[in-house]
Amino acid sequence: MLYSPKSVFSFGKNKGQIVKDVIENDIDYIVWCLIEIDDFKLDLDSITLFIENKDSVSINHSRLK
């Protein structure tokens, strides 16, 4: 599924929240989704927002190495 900043999570710990808020407040969850969920994709606006917030990433995932 392609997620825009206004898309609402229908699963997981951020269920009911919009992608924009999760990128700004729990960006590690977005990283986890991108790595672990094959069908999880960000649209261009979400990617731009993600890049703007990339310094907040703290996740240490084996697939990022």
Side-chain angles (χ1 to χ4, degrees):
M1 180 171 175
L2 190 63
Y3 289 86
S4 73
K6 294 181 180 179
S7 296
V8 177
F9 277 92
S10 61
F11 63 89
K13 70 178 189 174
N14 290 301
K15 185 176 183 176
Q17 295 186 44
I18 62 169
V19 169
K20 179 184 182 293
D21 290 344
V22 177
I23 289 174
E24 292 174 346
N25 299 304
D26 192 9
I27 198 167
D28 288 339
Y29 187 71
I30 300 293
V31 173
W32 182 88
C33 289
L34 289 165
I35 292 169
E36 298 295 336
I37 302 172
D38 291 334
D39 194 34
F40 187 89
K41 300 183 182 7
L42 300 176
D43 74 357
L44 185 57
D45 291 335
S46 292
I47 291 169
T48 301
L49 187 60
F50 182 91
I51 291 169
E52 291 170 356
N53 288 275
K54 69 179 174 27
D55 292 336
S56 299
V57 173
S58 65
I59 194 168
N60 184 11
H61 194 288
S62 62
R63 290 178 66 182
L64 291 176
K65 296 177 181 177

